[in-house]
Amino acid sequence: MSATAIRIHAADAAVIVISNDSSVTQWSGRYFGDWWNATAAEPTEESNGFVVLSDVDPKAYAEVARQVTSRKHEETEYARLPLLVSEDRDGTIRAFSSNDKLAYISEPHAGRLTILGTDAQALAVATARLAREVIRGFLLRDGWTLLHASAAVVDGGAVLTFGSKGSGKSTVAMILARQKGAELLANDRVFIRRDESGQLRVLPWPSAAALGLGLLDALNLYDVVRERVQAGEELHPTQDQRVTDALVSGQREPLWASNGKEMKVQLHPDQFPAWFGIPLSAGARASALVFPSIVSEATPAMADQARVLTEADFMTGETEDRYPDVFRLIRVDGGGREQDRARVLAYLDGLPQHTIVLGHDIDAAAQFLGKVLASA
């Protein structure tokens, strides 16, 4: 089988994924797409960027597993699964997970990461995740930092929305992104850095987007998703089967797990433009901050007490603990260096900031948001 390759780049960071299985590179292509400028490339390691080699190769997977277990190693957790890790004297890191049958050889000093597996789907998901980690490392070491925010680009400017789970970050971003000429920039987190002109530049963090059944229904997108699923189109593999079953049966109310957490539809990034006609943005300048809260019967209004941006609105190594830097791809705090966060925070404080209360009436919320942003 001939190799295929895809180049992914954001700002000045780039990575090339090469695989002997075209489904692996196709997965990275749809995962990063317009957000991180994914384009077909020549399958050669002689490139200006980090290289991720990703192959379906059961024998090579088994050999790395043997190498790790036959020498001194440690056990950690990566992507919520056990991972055995060993390190050579030259800094080469070998690891494997028996749960998903994946093995890794990380050579950060050489700009190369090899991923080996037995199943193309598991390999594709891991490859996209680690290609994203490579880009994250480059960006964070170059002065970018990560905000816990959703974002939509309106009139050329990125409107950043902040808050904890259930506060309305995704709701506001989706309402804004559905406006004529607007774009969706991120669902849950963004990269941000001050550029030479003094403006704050924002880049997306590609990921599956989690939207609740109730929110999809309120946005008049539920029927689109249901029809696509019934026609056999697939959502992201991280989606709980109970959510798929609820869609097929026509359930529109929020679906809750036994632990009280809402179970949501998990959308691939490319499904926003393909299914909903919502284009994706590869970056913009920050223009405004919104701090929403959702109260079911509320009339949209400014909140009585203004909310301000704090350090808690930045991602940190502690909040990124699902993906510890075992492969030495990041090499700084997982959310960016402290001085970079402080610099960004100082400039964000100078942007228009709006603390608002919204109800469940999406049309009323959209009208109110339009007025608020127009008056800034």
Side-chain angles (χ1 to χ4, degrees):
M1 185 181 296
S2 59
T4 60
I6 191 161
R7 184 175 186 268
I8 304 152
H9 70 97
D12 295 326
V15 60
I16 290 184
V17 174
I18 303 174
S19 179
N20 65 356
D21 190 309
S22 61
S23 68
V24 173
T25 50
Q26 288 169 2
W27 181 275
S28 287
R30 73 174 305 193
Y31 199 80
F32 297 109
D34 295 335
W35 263 337
W36 275 4
N37 311 293
T39 55
E42 290 298 318
T44 173
E45 293 187 51
E46 297 177 1
S47 62
N48 297 321
F50 197 103
V51 175
V52 175
L53 302 171
S54 180
D55 287 338
V56 176
D57 191 332
K59 289 184 178 180
Y61 157 77
E63 175 58 21
V64 174
R66 185 197 66 77
Q67 291 172 351
V68 172
T69 54
S70 65
R71 65 182 72 177
K72 182 179 179 182
H73 61 271
E74 297 180 354
E75 181 173 344
T76 186
E77 188 176 274
Y78 192 83
R80 295 176 176 163
L81 293 175
L83 185 74
L84 299 186
V85 184
S86 68
E87 183 172 351
D88 294 347
R89 290 182 179 179
D90 68 354
T92 298
I93 298 159
R94 288 178 171 80
F96 86 100
S97 169
S98 59
N99 293 72
D100 51 10
K101 298 292 191 297
L102 292 172
Y104 310 86
I105 304 173
S106 179
E107 302 167 274
H109 50 283
R112 183 169 57 243
L113 172 69
T114 303
I115 310 174
L116 304 161
T118 64
D119 175 74
Q121 177 68 76
L123 188 69
V125 173
T127 299
R129 177 191 302 127
L130 283 159
R132 186 178 63 189
E133 290 294 270
V134 171
I135 296 288
R136 176 159 71 117
F138 278 126
L139 293 176
L140 296 183
R141 294 194 300 274
D142 196 32
W144 294 82
T145 187
L146 269 172
L147 285 171
H148 186 201
S150 298
V153 177
V154 180
D155 296 329
V159 179
L160 306 175
T161 60
F162 299 86
S164 57
K165 289 184 182 297
S167 63
K169 291 197 307 298
S170 296
T171 300
V172 170
M174 287 295 295
I175 290 172
L176 294 175
R178 296 188 70 200
Q179 296 181 17
K180 184 178 180 179
E183 299 171 318
L184 182 66
L185 192 144
N187 181 59
D188 189 58
R189 64 191 71 183
V190 298
F191 289 94
I192 188 166
R193 187 183 72 171
R194 178 176 173 265
D195 65 17
E196 294 178 355
S197 70
Q199 293 186 329
L200 290 168
R201 303 300 300 178
V202 182
L203 295 174
W205 167 278
S207 67
L211 300 178
L213 297 173
L215 176 58
L216 284 172
D217 190 37
L219 292 167
N220 293 321
L221 300 176
Y222 180 94
D223 290 332
V224 175
V225 176
R226 185 176 185 230
E227 289 170 6
R228 294 276 187 161
V229 171
Q230 288 178 320
E233 296 191 50
E234 296 182 351
L235 291 160
H236 197 274
T238 56
Q239 178 169 296
D240 192 292
Q241 182 61 41
R242 289 170 290 182
V243 177
T244 305
D245 294 341
L247 279 168
V248 172
S249 68
Q251 178 177 334
R252 296 171 182 267
E253 297 76 24
L255 186 64
W256 304 96
S258 58
N259 61 3
K261 183 178 180 180
E262 184 178 2
M263 294 187 289
K264 299 181 178 181
V265 173
Q266 302 285 336
L267 291 154
H268 290 278
D270 66 345
Q271 288 170 335
F272 282 95
W275 291 12
F276 308 142
I278 297 175
L280 305 179
S281 171
R285 60 174 177 81
S287 61
L289 282 61
V290 176
F291 302 98
S293 60
I294 304 293
V295 179
S296 60
E297 301 301 325
T299 298
M302 303 302 296
D304 293 334
Q305 186 171 356
R307 157 102 143 75
V308 296
L309 200 69
T310 69
E311 278 280 344
D313 292 302
F314 289 82
M315 306 301 294
T316 66
E318 292 181 356
T319 57
E320 294 296 299
D321 59 1
R322 282 187 302 168
Y323 309 123
D325 194 23
V326 294
F327 302 113
R328 308 276 172 79
L329 303 175
I330 310 298
R331 304 197 294 278
V332 294
D333 183 275
R337 292 179 295 231
E338 184 176 352
Q339 63 268 31
D340 295 324
R341 292 198 297 269
R343 188 177 298 114
V344 165
L345 183 59
Y347 280 86
L348 282 171
D349 281 342
L351 294 179
Q353 303 185 29
H354 313 284
T355 306
I356 61 175
V357 178
L358 301 175
H360 285 177
D361 186 329
I362 295 296
D363 291 336
Q367 292 177 11
F368 179 73
L369 282 166
K371 292 178 182 178
V372 168
L373 295 174
S375 65

